[in-house]
Amino acid sequence: MNRRDALKKSALALGAAAGTPTLLSLLQACAKQDRLSWTPLFLNEDQAGFISSFVEFLLPKTETPGGLDVKADIFIDLIYAKTYDEEGQQKVIAEIEKFNSDCKSKYGKVFAELNAEEKASCVKEHEAKSPKYAPKVWGSTVGPQEPVGFYRGLKSMVLWAYFSSEEIGKNILSYDPIPGDYLGCIPLSDVGNTWSL
């Protein structure tokens, strides 16, 4: 490896390390937003309505908080506003319009206006035709990864926002802010709940 390659790899590692706290700070900023006074930074009202209804359908409130309770929709708007370049933002807008256009041609309404059965049918259809993520072994992708498209990318972002939220991390998942001993070989039954990072 020559010096130039080493510098490039070091810069990429530094960028990833510096970027993660920034994204987490965006998520924490969402937690302070009051839903009644929330004004999207990037999305217009209709687009924000689409994202909110998608989040609500994917993660409704049950005995645990729903996606809207942890403000996943606000987080997604912040991600689009703060981390996407202009080309990426225009692509997101076009994809939301296409998604709603497909709903209109099939049901006569945009996604946010569909009833629960129509939303389920629409999501099932997108789930079937969207490319999947390639399998991973120890964090490395096995085989080539084709682009997953808007639907699967948005679904992943919703799940990421949900499980990265403070509410879910501290109150739903197991959380230990000061970990103790490392026990590398214990029975799975002793692990218990999924752990928050």
Side-chain angles (χ1 to χ4, degrees), residues 28-179:
Q28 290 171 346
C30 295
K32 297 174 185 162
Q33 287 282 343
D34 178 11
R35 182 159 293 286
L36 296 175
S37 65
W38 175 57
T39 303
L41 290 179
F42 165 66
L43 301 168
N44 69 27
E45 191 175 326
D46 293 335
Q47 295 156 357
F50 165 76
I51 297 294
S52 294
S53 62
F54 186 86
V55 167
E56 175 64 18
F57 177 79
L58 195 63
L59 294 168
K61 183 174 184 171
T62 57
E63 63 275 359
T64 58
L68 295 181
D69 296 322
V70 299
K71 302 175 182 167
D73 52 343
I74 298 174
F75 176 69
I76 290 169
D77 177 61
L78 275 170
I79 290 292
Y80 289 151
K82 302 284 188 180
T83 68
Y84 279 46
D85 62 12
E86 189 174 341
E87 182 182 345
Q89 290 176 338
Q90 293 310 312
K91 188 172 181 184
V92 165
I93 290 170
E95 291 288 357
I96 291 173
E97 297 305 320
K98 183 180 182 316
F99 199 104
N100 274 328
S101 176
D102 291 346
C103 287
K104 270 188 180 176
S105 64
K106 188 162 186 175
Y107 303 103
K109 300 176 275 192
V110 296
F111 185 79
E113 297 170 353
L114 300 179
N115 64 37
E117 275 185 27
E118 292 166 335
K119 284 180 180 176
S121 175
C122 179
V123 166
K124 188 175 181 181
E125 184 180 313
H126 278 85
E127 189 68 36
K129 70 181 182 182
S130 292
K132 310 256 187 299
Y133 285 105
K136 293 189 175 197
V137 174
W138 295 323
S140 299
T141 303
V142 178
Q145 174 63 63
E146 60 180 310
V148 295
F150 174 72
Y151 164 78
R152 191 149 324 272
L154 178 59
K155 180 180 174 184
S156 296
M157 196 180 297
V158 170
L159 295 172
W160 173 45
Y162 184 76
F163 287 107
S164 299
S165 69
E166 184 176 2
E167 170 71 19
I168 301 304
K170 285 188 174 179
N171 300 323
I172 305 300
L173 302 175
S174 294
Y175 176 70
D176 186 3
I178 305 172

